Amino acid sequence: MSGPYLIRGAVALPESELRWRFSRSSGPGGQHVNTSDTQVELRFDLANTEALPEVWRERALERLANRLVDGVLVVRAAEHRSQWRNRETACVRMAALLAEATAPPPKRRKQARTPRGIVERRLREKKQRGQLKRGRSGRGWD
């Protein structure tokens, strides 16, 4: 593997808490597929990790609740023919998932008030338009 995979800031995926499982992959590769375990399954115990700050961990558990199995986040990779490249892909995907899940919530948008002058101008223009249309009617022209 090419080194630590940063989640955000100085926090990285801890190698000691990653669990790997390999199996035979489907897809391209011919007879090579039948003999090598290239599919990678990466597991990270999110519920019991000490690597993430407590606030991040709680946020990630809440946001990834539908992806977790007993508090464990699972990522599979089988796109490449080599196990090493699939390991790289799985790590990058795991780090991206955790980065997105631990990101702080966006600031709430403060709704702006429409200035009084703009409201008054709009009402004045509506009144003028109405008078113009009323003036087009043929009433009182005899």
Side-chain angles (χ1 to χ4, degrees):
M1 299 221 316
S2 67
Y5 290 92
L6 294 179
I7 296 172
R8 273 191 311 112
V11 180
L13 277 175
E15 288 284 333
S16 60
E17 294 186 22
L18 298 178
R19 300 287 170 249
W20 298 94
R21 206 173 113 209
F22 307 103
S23 60
R24 294 202 174 120
S25 178
S26 62
Q31 294 174 345
H32 173 73
V33 170
N34 301 328
T35 59
S36 58
D37 294 338
T38 56
Q39 179 174 310
V40 172
E41 183 178 280
L42 176 59
R43 296 171 166 268
F44 180 65
D45 191 357
L46 188 58
N48 300 316
T49 186
E50 298 294 323
L52 297 177
E54 186 65 26
V55 177
W56 288 17
R57 191 168 62 83
E58 294 300 323
R59 199 179 293 154
L61 283 170
E62 181 182 322
R63 291 182 182 170
L64 296 173
N66 60 341
R67 286 198 61 144
L68 298 177
V69 178
D70 297 329
V72 177
L73 181 60
V74 180
V75 173
R76 285 189 184 86
E79 294 85 38
H80 306 289
R81 287 181 61 181
S82 79
Q83 187 184 97
W84 184 82
R85 286 181 67 192
N86 282 332
R87 285 176 66 135
E88 289 284 320
T89 303
C91 278
V92 168
R93 222 182 274 161
M94 176 79 71
L97 263 173
L98 290 173
E100 187 178 323
T102 59
K107 290 184 179 179
R108 290 183 50 90
R109 180 181 173 273
K110 183 180 174 186
Q111 189 171 6
R113 278 188 59 235
T114 308
R116 187 175 8 163
I118 291 177
V119 173
E120 289 173 355
R121 183 176 52 196
R122 181 180 61 86
L123 293 174
R124 189 172 52 248
E125 288 172 359
K126 280 173 64 109
K127 192 170 287 284
Q128 287 173 352
R129 185 80 178 148
Q131 287 173 349
L132 178 74
K133 289 184 174 187
R134 256 195 315 278
R136 289 182 187 152
S137 68
R139 289 185 298 181
W141 280 31
D142 294 312

